[in-house]
């Protein structure tokens, strides 16, 4: 696995990082699928965090189970290399996000006990940045605008929500 990845990375070259040509429709479709999958994964983590009972998460057995299950699901995902078994990979991805969300429940509860505004601010700022980059990747045609527009729009939205 690592040998193939290193060969793929070597074929990219440093010039690809600074390539600001237009984004092809194929790349736009790929970005749409990636951001859609990330959105669904975030929703899975929220569901795992909200609906997992606290007594289950605070158990050491759950911690061990979640670590073993996450490693097993990642192995299953990497076992299905290439452009096949998207359904299996997606189910594994969703299971990992739900497990991660459930594992974060004690941290979220502690933050809520300290100050409930922390959770609201984290949600709003994260959503602002994610939506900014998602919209920029779907709207713009040039890569230079993708980098610049995503950063500027997320700062602008963050500042406007910060004023409120």
């Amino acid at each position: 696995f690592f040998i193939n990845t290193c060969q793929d990375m070597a074929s990219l070259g440093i010039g690809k990082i600074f390539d600001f040509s237009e984004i092809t429709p194929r790349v736009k479709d790929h970005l749409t699928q990636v951001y859609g999958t990330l959105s669904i994964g975030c929703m899975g983590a929220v569901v795992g965090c909200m609906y997992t009972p606290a007594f289950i998460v605070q158990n050491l057995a759950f911690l061990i189970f979640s670590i073993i299950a996450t490693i097993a699901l990642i192995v299953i995902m990497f076992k299905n290399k290439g452009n096949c078994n998207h359904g299996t990979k997606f189910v594994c991805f969703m299971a990992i996000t739900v497990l991660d969300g459930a594992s974060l429940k004690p941290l979220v509860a502690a933050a809520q006990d300290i100050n409930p505004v922390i959770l609201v601010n984290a949600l709003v700022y994260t959503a602002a940045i994610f939506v900014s980059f998602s919209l920029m990747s779907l709207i713009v045609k040039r890569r230079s605008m993708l980098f610049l527009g995503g950063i500027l729009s997320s700062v602008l939205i963050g500042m406007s929500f910060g004023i409120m």
Side-chain angles (χ1 to χ4, degrees):
F1 169 74
F2 292 112
I3 295 171
N4 293 338
T5 305
C6 291
Q7 289 172 351
D8 292 342
M9 293 296 283
S11 68
L12 289 176
I14 194 76
K16 291 286 186 179
I17 295 173
F18 299 108
D19 180 19
F20 296 124
S21 61
E22 289 197 8
I23 298 174
T24 63
R26 181 174 170 244
V27 172
K28 271 197 171 197
D29 289 341
H30 178 72
L31 287 174
T32 304
Q33 290 175 355
V34 166
Y35 283 123
T37 304
L38 285 175
S39 299
I40 294 170
C42 288
M43 288 182 229
V46 167
V47 167
C49 185
M50 286 178 59
Y51 297 114
T52 304
F55 69 90
I56 292 176
V57 177
Q58 294 171 349
N59 192 352
L60 181 64
F62 177 79
L63 176 68
I64 294 169
F65 168 76
S66 65
I67 291 171
I68 292 171
T70 301
I71 292 170
L73 289 166
I74 290 172
V75 167
I76 291 170
M77 285 174 58
F78 277 115
K79 205 169 163 187
N80 297 322
K81 289 184 188 174
N83 213 3
C84 62
N85 295 330
H86 291 294
T88 305
K89 290 178 184 178
F90 185 73
V91 168
C92 290
F93 173 71
M94 287 305 298
I96 290 171
T97 59
V98 170
L99 279 172
D100 286 347
S103 298
L104 285 175
K105 186 171 182 115
L107 180 64
V108 171
Q112 190 173 6
D113 289 341
I114 294 170
N115 189 358
V117 177
I118 294 173
L119 293 177
V120 174
N121 285 342
L123 178 66
V124 168
Y125 291 137
T126 303
I129 291 170
F130 184 74
V131 167
S132 298
F133 278 100
S134 298
L135 288 177
M136 281 298 153
S137 71
L138 298 176
I139 292 172
V140 299
K141 293 185 179 181
R142 294 195 52 90
R143 291 177 194 205
S144 60
M145 289 293 134
L146 178 66
F147 298 132
L148 183 64
I151 293 169
L152 288 178
S153 63
S154 61
V155 167
L156 203 82
I157 290 174
M159 286 174 42
S160 65
F161 280 122
I163 292 171
M164 292 181 191

